[in-house]
Amino acid sequence: MIVVTNQIQGNVECNNVEQIENIIRQAALLPIDEIWISGNSEYPCLSILVNGYLACIHYFEQEGIMWQSYGNYQKEINFLAGGEEWCAPADTVVSLESAINCMIEFCSDMRQPKCIKWQEL
């Protein structure tokens, strides 16, 4: 798997989900970061925006076909998206643990994780 982050390591080739989880947890220690996970091609891919113990997740099946996490947080949260700070609606915010579970599921079959609810964009 290829993992790309904005703040900590750039492009990293990871051989297992433990390495990716470590990158996600390191990113969560920063104020905000954006993590992209893919295989050998651009799609499908998973984007995990982190802000401490909170996350917003995007799943891109192919260009133009994408979903965003559906959560139930109480307020909007700032994340880094596309290199810019972005205020995510409260109903897109999930826990960091949910994001890690999504990554593990995504890495197993490169399909949209079923461990959270999604809203189509």
Side-chain angles (χ1 to χ4, degrees), residues 70-114:
Y70 180 79
N72 60 353
Y73 199 65
Q74 300 84 12
K75 62 181 183 173
E76 298 175 339
I77 299 294
N78 287 339
F79 291 103
L80 189 64
E84 301 289 325
E85 202 161 314
W86 171 67
C87 187
D91 70 350
T92 67
V93 179
V94 298
S95 70
L96 182 67
E97 296 307 314
S98 292
I100 290 169
N101 289 336
C102 280
M103 174 276 297
I104 292 168
E105 193 174 332
F106 174 75
C107 289
S108 72
D109 62 11
M110 302 293 287
R111 295 184 184 197
Q112 182 181 24
K114 298 191 182 330

Side-chain angles (χ1 to χ4, degrees), residues 52-65:
Y53 64 92
L54 300 173
C56 180
I57 310 164
H58 294 86
Y59 171 77
F60 298 84
E61 184 175 318
Q62 59 188 1
E63 188 170 343
I65 300 177

Side-chain angles (χ1 to χ4, degrees), residues 6-21:
N6 280 349
Q7 304 284 351
I8 51 174
Q9 296 182 353
N11 295 3
V12 179
E13 188 167 334
C14 294
N15 298 318
N16 57 56
V17 295
E18 291 80 13
Q19 289 176 309
I20 302 170
E21 180 177 351

